Amino acid sequence: MGAIEFIEGGVTAPAGFRAAGVHAGFRANPNRKDAALVVSDVEGTAAAGTFTCNVFCAAPVKLSRSVAQGGRARAVILNSGNANAATGKPGDQVARESQALTAAALGIDPAEVFVASTGVIGVQLPLEPYRSGLPLLLGALDSSPQAAADAAQAIMTTDTVPKECAVRFEADGTAYRIGGMSKGSGMIMPNMATMLAVLTTDAAVEPAALKTALKAAVDASFNKITVDSDTSTNDSCFCLANGAAGGPVLQPGTPAFETFCLALRQLCEALARKMAADGEGATKLVTVTVSGAASEEDADKAARTVANSPLVKTAIAGHDCNWGRIAAALGRSGASFRQEDVDIDIMGMPVMRGGLPCGFDEDEALRRFEEPEITIDAALGAGEHSTRMWTCDFTHDYITINGDYRT
Amino acid sequence: MGAIEFIEGGVTAPAGFRAAGVHAGFRANPNRKDAALVVSDVEGTAAAGTFTCNVFCAAPVKLSRSVAQGGRARAVILNSGNANAATGKPGDQVARESQALTAAALGIDPAEVFVASTGVIGVQLPLEPYRSGLPLLLGALDSSPQAAADAAQAIMTTDTVPKECAVRFEADGTAYRIGGMSKGSGMIMPNMATMLAVLTTDAAVEPAALKTALKAAVDASFNKITVDSDTSTNDSCFCLANGAAGGPVLQPGTPAFETFCLALRQLCEALARKMAADGEGATKLVTVTVSGAASEEDADKAARTVANSPLVKTAIAGHDCNWGRIAAALGRSGASFRQEDVDIDIMGMPVMRGGLPCGFDEDEALRRFEEPEITIDAALGAGEHSTRMWTCDFTHDYITINGDYRT
């Protein structure tokens, strides 16, 4: 089985995919791209999706869920600037019409078009930008890296950088690629914005297997950038598999399928890390690893509580090697363990052994906190389960972005 | 049944209690009180306690749990400046010795002395301040309001104001009083500090009934100032009932006992509100009321998620009447409801009806946000259960207090 390697590019890296990103008019600023389209050129492209479980889910989420149930899709139409959430029946109607307009422009079945929106909520989404923007998108549709980059840029809201990735792997003599783009600023559910991701692959995978692979990859990546990220009103992750690489259908249970799953997971992890690192006001990416937990659930609870703790996150912003706040978060997480069995390392330095603080070199700690990624490792000594979560630090800029007097 | 009225004073408001607060040397600053003692003059005083469920619980918590199991206590010795947490077996030994020293000074059984500590963790607590401080405490012990105020001041850490309250009620011709003091800055689990509370009453209540009454009062008050407040390493709430008012033993099931329970709850609520309002960096007390929930648990989940949301709390700091963030928090809380049934009011102004935003006067909203207490009311339309939680806003000062570069 060939190695999995990261390559340049995004959603157009796999064969048989085109993308575009343009200004269609969802935003007032004409210099800001606000509409993206991703298209598979292959009929019968397999599709899967994962969606927010927020009760206040947006109109496009409801519609795209039904597309995912069909297991086939050829296109994803996305806009930024307006989330089409808390918009009632008129919002549902707009979502359906935007789906129909996109399908008509591409000459495909509306049931094969995913729809996604991100931006302000509680404001009706206009249809006009679809009417004027779809011809622009069709004109720009291209399989180039630039076209993928334009699409990644068009879905940004409070993101400070576009986020795209691609990987390449070989299986049974065929070379496959998976590409992806995403937006969202991680755990902090910025400004009612959303996590959106579009993943493309030229591997041939049946819809049911694709759904399984996507769910596993999302659970280990986007769903590990703390609790808020998977629960906004619009969160959606779409995956299209068109088989254009020419290999056989990858069957669950085979080494080739396992390699595909691993490659998909690594791609999603890379995108998830980019999102956590781009959290609102963030200066650090924070990776929290919990091992020695009594169960998978305990590992998740413990890592999630540490990663969500405002006290831990403010300490990191202040370059404070504060083991006490980490211990307190573990202790209140609900995970089962004994305090005398706990070891904690920060940036590879032992700070707690057997539940007691151990002396460490404060100057060395300050030096290590200069790194862009901060690692926290906690071993609970209660079992064999482990997990990893990603978050960011918590700074004055977060308060400024989210709390300063409205203008 | 007489009305319950708030009166001046704190833990010495009930008959038969004395208190003191002095500088004993737990802190370096000689101008800062750091030791408090509360004593009941009545033998056989009934006692109850509630404690943190954090796995990393402090040495005094473990010791005081065993005192509470005995159901009788005459004294509470408290210090600030050092939490005696994450201190291992030496910490347990110091807690036991401080209990013994206090008992010897008062001439009572060590098993009748509650011990509590708050302050930095991971540092061994010295015994010397107990040896030098206990004579000072005994000399200062008094039933005056000033003595109670000194005790309330001695347990402060990051609190900006001391917190004490007292209530008076009548039952079957006898006048009773309940007094209390507490420290802690609410939900945000400031700097590993702690929620501590001492409640005193001159009502006669058996230990088992006192335990029941205390648990109900704490669940409806201190445990409603969001999830972090009841899960630090040292959280403890003690209640002593000495019967010095002269009435009969208040028996569960009688109107007199119900009035006692209600008075105890009102006292705890008043202290809890003071703690939330004094949250680190807080400029507003925030009261979140959820009604129409399908169950008690759903009401709690929904209110807790809103009260814990950094986005809601930063919006309040910015005087932003942001219904969208409240709706999103409700939606991800795990409570069962339909979005089209939800109504939300902020400061008494309808901002959402039937799951859709309703227009409101932005200028009027800004005017109402000048008030020191912000109210959020959410009706889920899914049942008959309701609850109330208290929190504070989330400001730059929180980041400054908890995150600025260590000095």
Side-chain angles (χ1 to χ4, degrees):
Chain A
M1 214 49 55
I4 298 163
E5 54 174 336
F6 278 81
I7 57 176
E8 291 294 306
V11 289
T12 60
F17 284 98
R18 290 178 296 155
V22 304
H23 172 77
F26 295 102
R27 295 178 181 279
N29 180 351
N31 296 318
R32 188 132 181 216
K33 294 186 178 68
D34 56 13
L37 181 63
V38 180
V39 176
S40 165
D41 293 330
V42 182
E43 271 191 44
T45 293
T50 64
F51 303 95
T52 181
C53 24
N54 196 305
V55 173
F56 277 91
C57 76
V61 169
K62 291 185 269 183
L63 189 60
S64 290
R65 265 204 195 103
S66 69
V67 173
Q69 274 157 13
R72 305 281 170 189
R74 290 282 301 278
V76 187
I77 178 84
L78 313 96
N79 76 282
S80 60
N82 185 315
N84 195 8
T87 46
K89 289 190 197 313
D92 291 336
Q93 183 64 22
V94 166
R96 275 194 302 272
E97 292 188 30
S98 69
Q99 183 188 45
L101 287 169
T102 306
L106 293 168
I108 61 175
D109 183 348
E112 293 195 320
V113 177
F114 280 124
V115 177
S117 297
T118 179
V120 299
I121 80 165
V123 176
Q124 293 298 333
L125 178 66
L127 263 179
E128 181 49 35
Y130 289 105
R131 294 204 179 93
S132 57
L134 275 164
L136 299 175
L137 285 166
L138 258 63
L141 263 186
D142 197 74
S143 60
S144 67
Q146 185 58 50
D150 289 346
Q153 197 164 49
I155 60 174
M156 290 167 63
T157 53
T158 56
D159 306 66
T160 65
V161 290
K163 297 165 188 78
E164 51 178 356
C165 275
V167 295
R168 180 189 180 283
F169 66 98
E170 285 185 26
D172 301 329
T174 304
Y176 298 99
R177 282 155 297 262
I178 311 177
M181 64 178 187
S182 67
K183 59 86 47 179
S185 298
M187 69 104 12
I188 39 186
M189 210 175 62
N191 224 343
M192 282 305 301
T194 299
M195 190 227 111
L196 292 181
V198 179
L199 312 172
T200 56
T201 181
D202 48 20
V205 185
E206 287 297 327
L210 189 64
K211 186 176 173 183
T212 305
L214 180 64
K215 184 172 187 320
V218 168
D219 280 347
S221 58
F222 301 120
N223 284 348
K224 290 290 187 184
I225 38 176
T226 86
V227 70
D228 292 356
S229 73
D230 62 334
T231 48
S232 104
T233 53
N234 290 52
D235 290 342
S236 304
C237 175
F238 308 104
C239 185
L240 306 184
N242 68 4
V249 173
L250 302 183
Q251 299 291 354
T254 62
F257 184 76
E258 291 307 310
T259 304
F260 168 74
C261 288
L262 187 59
L264 186 65
R265 175 179 163 159
Q266 287 189 8
L267 181 88
C268 289
E269 276 186 12
L271 287 170
R273 284 170 55 93
K274 284 174 192 272
M275 289 162 62
D278 196 26
E280 284 177 331
T283 67
K284 304 283 182 193
L285 171 65
V286 181
T287 300
V288 179
T289 305
V290 168
S291 60
S295 67
E296 193 65 39
E297 295 68 38
D298 272 13
D300 187 83
K301 272 188 221 167
R304 203 171 284 271
T305 306
V306 172
N308 271 328
S309 162
L311 284 175
V312 171
K313 290 154 66 80
T314 48
I316 291 168
H319 294 204
D320 178 359
C321 195
N322 196 314
W323 55 268
R325 295 181 182 180
I326 297 167
L330 293 170
R332 71 182 160 88
S333 68
S336 297
F337 63 89
R338 303 187 311 162
Q339 63 171 303
E340 56 267 40
D341 296 332
V342 175
D343 295 342
I344 301 175
D345 288 13
I346 301 177
M347 291 306 281
M349 299 195 327
V351 294
M352 174 174 274
R353 284 295 175 269
L356 296 174
C358 39
F360 59 89
D361 182 339
E362 295 267 3
D363 290 337
E364 176 61 21
L366 282 176
R367 271 193 296 277
R368 297 192 188 188
F369 267 87
E370 296 298 320
E371 297 292 322
E373 179 173 356
I374 303 300
T375 59
I376 296 171
D377 294 272
L380 303 183
E384 301 298 318
H385 295 270
S386 64
T387 197
R388 188 175 293 168
M389 301 232 10
W390 295 276
T391 185
C392 58
D393 59 345
F394 211 174
T395 69
H396 279 289
D397 282 353
Y398 176 87
I399 304 286
T400 301
I401 293 166
N402 287 301
D404 278 6
Y405 212 83
R406 272 201 299 186
T407 50
Chain B
M1 213 49 57
I4 298 164
E5 55 174 334
F6 279 81
I7 58 176
E8 291 294 306
V11 289
T12 59
F17 284 97
R18 290 178 297 155
V22 304
H23 172 77
F26 295 102
R27 295 178 180 280
N29 180 349
N31 296 316
R32 189 134 180 214
K33 293 186 177 68
D34 57 13
L37 182 62
V38 179
V39 175
S40 165
D41 294 330
V42 181
E43 270 190 46
T45 292
T50 65
F51 303 95
T52 181
C53 24
N54 196 306
V55 173
F56 276 91
C57 76
V61 170
K62 290 185 269 182
L63 189 60
S64 289
R65 266 205 194 103
S66 69
V67 173
Q69 274 159 12
R72 304 281 169 188
R74 291 280 302 277
V76 188
I77 178 83
L78 313 96
N79 75 282
S80 61
N82 186 316
N84 195 7
T87 46
K89 288 191 197 312
D92 292 337
Q93 182 62 23
V94 167
R96 274 193 303 272
E97 291 188 30
S98 69
Q99 184 189 45
L101 286 170
T102 306
L106 293 168
I108 61 176
D109 184 347
E112 291 196 320
V113 178
F114 280 124
V115 176
S117 297
T118 178
V120 299
I121 80 165
V123 176
Q124 293 298 334
L125 177 66
L127 262 180
E128 182 48 35
Y130 289 105
R131 294 205 179 93
S132 57
L134 275 164
L136 300 175
L137 285 167
L138 258 63
L141 263 186
D142 197 76
S143 60
S144 68
Q146 185 58 48
D150 289 345
Q153 198 164 45
I155 60 173
M156 289 167 65
T157 53
T158 55
D159 307 66
T160 65
V161 290
K163 298 166 187 77
E164 51 177 357
C165 275
V167 296
R168 181 189 179 284
F169 67 98
E170 285 184 26
D172 301 329
T174 304
Y176 298 100
R177 280 155 298 261
I178 311 178
M181 66 178 185
S182 67
K183 57 86 46 179
S185 298
M187 69 103 13
I188 39 185
M189 208 175 63
N191 224 345
M192 284 304 302
T194 298
M195 190 225 111
L196 291 181
V198 178
L199 312 172
T200 55
T201 181
D202 48 20
V205 185
E206 288 297 326
L210 189 64
K211 186 176 173 182
T212 305
L214 180 64
K215 184 172 187 317
V218 168
D219 280 348
S221 58
F222 301 120
N223 284 349
K224 290 290 187 184
I225 38 176
T226 88
V227 69
D228 294 355
S229 73
D230 62 333
T231 49
S232 105
T233 54
N234 290 52
D235 290 343
S236 304
C237 176
F238 308 104
C239 186
L240 305 184
N242 69 2
V249 173
L250 302 183
Q251 300 290 354
T254 63
F257 184 76
E258 292 307 310
T259 304
F260 168 73
C261 289
L262 187 59
L264 186 65
R265 175 179 165 158
Q266 287 189 8
L267 181 86
C268 289
E269 275 186 13
L271 287 171
R273 284 170 54 93
K274 283 176 194 270
M275 288 163 61
D278 195 25
E280 285 177 329
T283 67
K284 304 284 182 191
L285 171 66
V286 181
T287 301
V288 179
T289 306
V290 168
S291 60
S295 67
E296 193 65 38
E297 294 69 38
D298 272 13
D300 186 83
K301 272 188 220 168
R304 203 170 284 270
T305 306
V306 172
N308 270 328
S309 163
L311 285 175
V312 171
K313 290 154 66 80
T314 49
I316 291 168
H319 293 204
D320 177 359
C321 194
N322 197 313
W323 55 269
R325 296 181 182 180
I326 297 167
L330 293 170
R332 70 181 161 89
S333 68
S336 298
F337 63 90
R338 302 185 315 160
Q339 62 171 304
E340 56 267 39
D341 296 332
V342 175
D343 295 342
I344 300 174
D345 288 14
I346 301 176
M347 292 305 282
M349 301 197 324
V351 293
M352 174 173 274
R353 284 294 176 269
L356 296 173
C358 39
F360 59 90
D361 182 339
E362 296 267 1
D363 290 338
E364 176 62 19
L366 282 176
R367 270 192 298 278
R368 296 192 188 188
F369 267 87
E370 297 297 322
E371 296 293 322
E373 180 174 355
I374 302 300
T375 59
I376 296 171
D377 295 271
L380 304 183
E384 301 299 319
H385 295 270
S386 65
T387 196
R388 187 175 293 167
M389 299 228 17
W390 296 276
T391 185
C392 58
D393 58 346
F394 211 174
T395 68
H396 279 289
D397 282 352
Y398 176 87
I399 304 286
T400 301
I401 293 166
N402 286 301
D404 277 6
Y405 212 82
R406 271 200 300 185
T407 50

